[in-house]
Amino acid sequence: MSAAPGPSLEQQRYRWPVPPEGGWKADDLDRIPGLPPHTELIDGSLVLRSPQRKFHTRTMWLLEQALLAHLPPDLDVDREMTIRIDERNRPEPDLLVHRADADTGADRIWYEPEDVVLAVEVVSPDSRDRDRDVKPRKYAAAGIRHFWRVEADASGLPTVYVYEFDPALKAYTPTGIHHNRLKRDVPYLIDADLTGIYRRGR
């Protein structure tokens, strides 16, 4: 009697990592082979990102330019870097502003919450619940002072929902909803023409 056939080469190549008892830990993100780029860790579970829409890419570009335009020397901007909130959570905001002295060089792959001044999430169809609920709660619990959520309006332009951490409530308080133009003086001067998302130098 012959043995049952083993997994095919195709099945072996695309085998998903099996979580350990209790879930994955923050450092596992750097050790699990073959993870897709921009995999996050939320409550000990791996969260994989689907292909991004043009809205997402262009919104990140537009806001990154605005964040860099008046950037104080003690701060810096990065995109798609994880924040090590605790042993079971390493979410990856689309953009973040951090203390410049927290940058330890080209091999840096995550930041501590206390180094992060602003976290920005651009909402995609598959990330809506995480970006509206799960991740803001975790950023607030970690004490990150500023949070922006960005969503497409009916015409495909970004709407920016701005929140600030309330230390008494230990939660975010909404401080503005911005259409067409985003102008803020906290955490520093930021001015973005949101209608220019698809122009890019034209």
Side-chain angles (χ1 to χ4, degrees), residues 66-81:
L67 289 168
L68 289 169
H70 303 286
L71 187 70
D74 61 331
L75 297 176
D76 206 347
V77 177
D78 274 310
R79 58 165 59 200
E80 301 168 317
M81 296 276 288

Side-chain angles (χ1 to χ4, degrees), residues 129-142:
D129 291 340
R130 289 191 305 276
D131 292 345
R132 288 178 175 178
D133 179 40
V134 178
K135 292 170 80 172
R137 280 192 289 106
K138 292 189 179 299
Y139 295 150

Side-chain angles (χ1 to χ4, degrees), residues 126-180:
D126 72 316
S127 71
R128 189 172 289 117
D129 291 340
R130 289 191 305 276
D131 292 345
R132 288 178 175 178
D133 179 40
V134 178
K135 292 170 80 172
R137 280 192 289 106
K138 292 189 179 299
Y139 295 150
I144 295 172
R145 293 286 309 273
H146 301 276
F147 172 69
W148 298 352
R149 189 184 81 247
V150 189
E151 304 204 26
D153 67 13
S155 61
L157 295 178
T159 298
V160 183
Y161 300 83
V162 175
Y163 301 85
E164 193 164 342
F165 181 69
D166 183 334
L169 299 176
K170 298 194 182 323
Y172 286 126
T173 298
T175 59
I177 301 174
H178 300 263
H179 308 272
N180 298 325

Side-chain angles (χ1 to χ4, degrees), residues 90-142:
R90 257 179 70 184
E92 182 183 287
D94 292 303
L95 292 162
L96 58 81
V97 177
H98 61 85
R99 294 188 303 107
D101 61 7
D103 189 345
T104 56
D107 292 331
R108 185 90 203 216
I109 55 177
W110 52 266
Y111 288 100
E112 299 280 1
E114 54 266 29
D115 296 326
V116 179
V117 175
L118 166 68
V120 181
E121 295 289 357
V122 181
V123 176
S124 298
D126 72 316
S127 71
R128 189 172 289 117
D129 291 340
R130 289 191 305 276
D131 292 345
R132 288 178 175 178
D133 179 40
V134 178
K135 292 170 80 172
R137 280 192 289 106
K138 292 189 179 299
Y139 295 150

Side-chain angles (χ1 to χ4, degrees), residues 26 28 45 48 54 57 61-63 73 82 90 92 98 107 114 125 128 132 136 138 144 161 171 182 185 193 197:
D28 292 331
S45 297
L48 312 182
K54 185 173 184 177
T57 302
W61 171 83
L62 180 75
L63 292 178
T82 58
R90 257 179 70 184
E92 182 183 287
H98 61 85
D107 292 331
E114 54 266 29
R128 189 172 289 117
R132 288 178 175 178
K138 292 189 179 299
I144 295 172
Y161 300 83
L182 169 67
D185 57 9
D193 176 6
I197 179 175

